[in-house]
Amino acid sequence: MKIYLTFLIATLLWSGSVLAQNARFVTITHTNGAPGATLEVFAGEAAELVSMSRSGNLESTYVMVRKDGMNFLAFPASASTSASGVASGVGTTVAGPAVFTLNESGQSYVYATFKITAQSYDPNRTLILPPGNEQFQVSMESSTNLVQWTAATNGVYGSPAEARFFRIRMEKK
C-alpha cells in the first residue's frame, strides 16, 4: 500500500510539473510614439491575452491580431468583448502562427501579458481529456518515417517490411 501511495504521489507531482512547463507568460510593453510592440506566436502554440494595463485610461490602448491575412482586435478576459458588455471569462485566444501588436494612441506607457501554451503533445505522454464543455478530436496515426503520418485504426498489425510508428493526436474542436 505504501509503495502504491508513493507511486501515486510521484506521478501526480510529475504530471503537475509537466503541465506547468506547457505554458509560459510573456509581457510586451509599449510607449506612445514608438512602433507597436509585437508578439509572434508560432505554429504549434496558442496565445491568450491575459491582461492589459496602462498609466491612465485603457480607451486608447488596443491589441491587434494578424492571423491568416486578417486583422482583428484582442481583449483580455476582464474586458467586455461583446456589444452586450458580457466578458467571456477567457481572453482572446489565437492559435499560431499569428502576430499580436500592442498599440497606444494616447500619451502613456502600456503593457499586455499573454499566456503561451504549446499545442503539440509529446508522443510518450498520456493524453487526458479535461472535464468541461470543450470538444476534442482524438485520432491514431501511423508512419514509417516519422515525417508523413496517416490515419490508423485499432487492430492487429504485424511483420511489416519496415518499422511502423504510432501516435495519438488530440486537437481541440
Side-chain angles (χ1 to χ4, degrees):
M1 182 66 172
K2 283 184 179 182
I3 293 174
Y4 175 76
L5 187 57
T6 303
F7 175 74
L8 181 62
I9 291 171
T11 302
L12 289 173
L13 289 173
W14 176 81
S15 299
S17 67
V18 168
L19 291 174
Q21 292 172 4
N22 285 340
R24 68 184 192 281
F25 290 86
V26 175
T27 300
I28 59 176
T29 61
H30 179 262
T31 302
N32 189 37
T38 61
L39 170 68
E40 185 173 359
V41 181
F42 299 102
E45 296 180 322
E48 174 191 350
L49 177 57
V50 177
S51 66
M52 284 187 344
S53 185
R54 64 170 262 166
S55 55
N57 190 330
L58 273 176
E59 290 177 12
S60 60
T61 303
Y62 62 96
V63 173
M64 183 66 67
V65 180
R66 179 129 180 104
K67 168 81 174 154
D68 297 332
M70 299 184 328
N71 292 325
F72 55 92
L73 292 175
F75 300 92
S78 59
S80 296
T81 58
S82 69
S84 65
V86 176
S88 67
V90 174
T92 300
T93 304
V94 178
V99 176
F100 288 80
T101 304
L102 174 62
N103 292 291
E104 168 32 61
S105 60
Q107 298 292 324
S108 63
Y109 173 83
V110 297
Y111 74 86
T113 300
F114 299 86
K115 179 180 178 182
I116 310 292
T117 308
Q119 294 296 295
S120 59
Y121 293 91
D122 179 350
N124 296 316
R125 193 174 79 193
T126 300
L127 297 180
I128 301 170
L129 293 176
N133 296 331
E134 297 175 327
Q135 296 289 308
F136 294 87
Q137 173 71 39
V138 178
S139 58
M140 184 169 72
E141 298 174 331
S142 71
S143 172
T144 57
N145 59 13
L146 295 173
V147 175
Q148 297 166 320
W149 293 88
T150 58
T153 59
N154 288 340
V156 177
Y157 291 85
S159 302
E162 52 195 352
R164 181 164 298 278
F165 304 91
F166 292 88
R167 72 179 181 187
I168 298 174
R169 283 187 359 145
M170 182 170 71
E171 291 181 33
K172 187 174 178 183
K173 288 293 181 181

